[in-house]
Amino acid sequence: MPAKILFYLQFLLRALVFVCVVLLNIARLRRSFFYQNGSFVRWTTIWSSPLGSLLCRIADSYSPGVIVLVSAIVIYGAFRKGYTEESLLVIRGLGIQTSTSSLTYLSKASTRFIPTTQIQDIVIHEAFKGFEVRFYLAIIVEGEPEVVVVFPVRTSAVYTDQS
């Protein structure tokens, strides 16, 4: 239960940060676009509120380039996941499907299916990272120069077919 509460609090914080960044960018453009009469949103009320006046002061004190750069970095951080999901599905007689989720909430997972007719071998190898030994599962696929690493260890090692 505490993990779910923490997840929803983190989601709420990301949404709040995203809204603040969008409002900051709107505050930067408030004089040219958002002071029109007959608008659906009463922008003068928003800019006169404590949060609105703070956003206006921040938007006016920094150059547009700095605001755009910082906004892009913060929005990327708001949409970035802190984890990667990886899965392996073995279907007897058909093949192996590997899936890896993306690093952001905006893009889809990458999925690859390897038919059993193309699988030469499935091996468990070991890789060295510093003074540490890490084991990884690899599939040797017919006609490919590199092996397919199922759950890749995030190292700088390159896995190649040695046969």
Side-chain angles (χ1 to χ4, degrees):
M1 193 65 173
K4 283 187 177 183
I5 293 171
L6 186 62
F7 172 77
Y8 289 122
L9 284 175
Q10 181 185 18
F11 182 77
L12 184 66
L13 180 66
R14 286 175 185 246
L16 184 66
V17 165
F18 176 75
V19 168
C20 285
V21 167
V22 169
L23 284 175
L24 178 68
N25 287 305
I26 291 173
R28 183 72 187 159
L29 301 171
R30 71 185 179 279
R31 290 189 184 98
S32 55
F33 294 112
F34 297 104
Y35 264 139
Q36 300 167 354
N37 292 332
S39 176
F40 181 70
V41 179
R42 297 184 182 188
W43 292 107
T44 54
T45 308
I46 292 175
W47 303 137
S48 61
S49 70
L51 178 62
S53 63
L54 174 68
L55 289 172
C56 288
R57 279 196 309 267
I58 292 172
D60 292 338
S61 62
Y62 293 102
S63 70
V66 171
I67 290 176
V68 167
L69 180 67
V70 171
S71 296
I73 292 169
V74 170
I75 287 175
Y76 174 75
F79 284 111
R80 190 174 190 286
K81 292 181 190 176
Y83 59 90
T84 302
E85 292 180 19
E86 297 173 327
S87 67
L88 173 72
L89 176 64
V90 180
I91 305 171
R92 187 183 332 175
L94 290 176
I96 296 174
Q97 176 178 315
T98 61
S99 296
T100 304
S101 69
S102 66
L103 292 176
T104 65
Y105 290 109
L106 300 176
S107 55
K108 295 172 27 177
S110 63
T111 302
R112 179 173 182 194
F113 182 77
I114 305 169
T116 46
T117 57
Q118 292 182 351
I119 297 175
Q120 287 183 343
D121 203 0
I122 299 175
V123 293
I124 298 176
H125 275 289
E126 55 189 27
F128 299 99
K129 182 180 180 185
F131 294 108
E132 190 176 340
V133 178
R134 296 191 180 178
F135 295 93
Y136 63 94
L137 181 68
I139 303 170
I140 301 173
V141 181
E142 184 179 321
E144 291 191 17
E146 295 184 354
V147 298
V148 176
V149 180
V150 177
F151 300 113
V153 180
R154 305 291 182 224
T155 64
S156 60
V158 175
Y159 308 104
T160 57
D161 186 6
Q162 300 297 325
S163 56

